[in-house]
Amino acid sequence: MLTDAEIVASLTASARAVPYPGKWLEPPFDGERQALVARDAGISELRVDRESGRVFSIELAGGVAQPIAPSPAALAELGAAYADALARSAGADEHELRVLEAGLLAAVRVVAPELADTETFWSIAAEELGNGITADGPAAPPTLVTASGGPTVVIALPMLALHQALAAEGLTLSGYADLLPSVSLNGGLSATLAATAVPGAFRGGPAQVLALPAGFGATAEELAFPSLRLVVALGGADVSELAVPDGVEFVAIDGPAPFAALAGLVAERRAAGRFEQHRG
């Protein structure tokens, strides 16, 4: 059984370089069998199995487990591979980013082939890297889940966190693409909203819908984004200080499947002619 001392010693700088969108914790770690080592508040937890050493994430809403690494040592190896790819991504063009994406997935397969399967933690991380989406550096255009018709919807979650939240409802990014054309965060909310206003960036034009999941708020300036027509607070989002401007509809969705409900709400408002039509 791994002790707290052994676990914290294994969580080197390389291990902590994995793109987990949460906060690393310090010992004593909660959990007799599974040590809680990191937490993304309200969304997921990163745990280490004290007997096997397996590192995995747990989606808090649905309890779905997803493997991240077969051991803390492997986590450090994967973190080092990601950090190297991330460093090489600075200034890279589109082709070079795709090469880095493929290289990272190849490194993951060497450690454990199943970790590179579609819709896994590492496949999503590699896809983000290939799209130029990183935690630092200049902002790239936000990631569009689908280019289908409808208003541009900004969901205030990074792609990995969005993937985790959808998984809690039994949804995948590709499956959600059939329900809602949505944009994940790249950098801050202000930068993401601004990127949707770049001429020709999105078929739906500048963002008309903003969805705020639990743990994410928005400033008065962000809520005053000129093209917004609908602001949606999802399942436990703090709405006490939201300054939604006049003329912008506000809806709170609280239930077991908020993202599915969001897609339904946008479809209803679209059918009612709530959104402006944009020609690409």
Side-chain angles (χ1 to χ4, degrees), residues 39 58 75 90 96 101 169 200 203 253 255 279:
R39 177 186 288 119
I58 292 285
L75 185 71
E96 291 167 336
E101 176 183 352
E169 294 187 25
R203 184 178 299 178
I253 294 176
R279 293 180 174 84

Side-chain angles (χ1 to χ4, degrees), residues 6-135:
E6 290 170 327
I7 291 173
V8 75
S10 68
L11 295 177
T12 61
S14 291
R16 295 175 188 243
V18 300
Y20 176 70
K23 178 181 179 181
W24 291 91
L25 307 176
E26 298 299 331
F29 299 122
D30 289 342
E32 293 184 5
R33 294 176 177 271
Q34 301 170 354
L36 174 60
V37 298
R39 177 186 288 119
D40 189 11
I43 299 175
S44 69
E45 295 177 348
L46 204 64
R47 303 179 184 179
V48 176
D49 186 284
R50 292 185 185 273
E51 183 173 353
S52 67
R54 184 171 62 99
V55 184
F56 59 98
S57 68
I58 292 285
E59 314 305 334
L60 297 180
V64 178
Q66 181 176 188
I68 304 297
S71 68
L75 185 71
E77 184 177 347
L78 291 168
Y82 179 80
D84 178 67
L86 181 62
R88 293 173 182 270
S89 71
D93 61 26
E94 183 177 355
H95 172 71
E96 291 167 336
L97 288 172
R98 292 305 176 190
V99 171
L100 290 172
E101 176 183 352
L104 177 58
L105 285 176
V108 172
R109 291 189 184 97
V110 170
V111 174
E114 67 277 7
L115 294 181
D117 289 346
T118 303
E119 299 290 351
T120 60
F121 175 90
W122 285 107
S123 71
I124 298 297
E127 183 179 354
E128 281 201 323
L129 190 69
N131 287 332
I133 301 174
T134 61

Side-chain angles (χ1 to χ4, degrees), residues 155-184:
I155 299 178
L157 285 174
M159 184 190 281
L160 281 173
L162 176 58
H163 168 69
Q164 293 166 349
L166 291 174
E169 294 187 25
L171 299 169
T172 63
L173 284 171
S174 57
Y176 200 59
D178 295 331
L179 300 175
L180 184 71
S182 52
V183 175
S184 61

Side-chain angles (χ1 to χ4, degrees), residues 167-257:
E169 294 187 25
L171 299 169
T172 63
L173 284 171
S174 57
Y176 200 59
D178 295 331
L179 300 175
L180 184 71
S182 52
V183 175
S184 61
L185 282 187
N186 180 34
L189 178 55
S190 294
T192 303
L193 289 168
T196 71
V198 174
F202 296 100
R203 184 178 299 178
Q208 296 188 61
V209 181
L210 172 61
L212 300 171
F216 285 81
T219 66
E221 182 179 1
E222 290 163 341
L223 293 171
F225 188 69
S227 59
L228 279 185
R229 296 295 177 266
L230 174 64
V231 173
V232 184
L234 300 177
D238 184 7
V239 299
S240 60
E241 297 184 0
L242 288 182
V244 180
D246 292 339
V248 177
E249 182 183 8
F250 173 75
V251 177
I253 294 176
D254 192 6

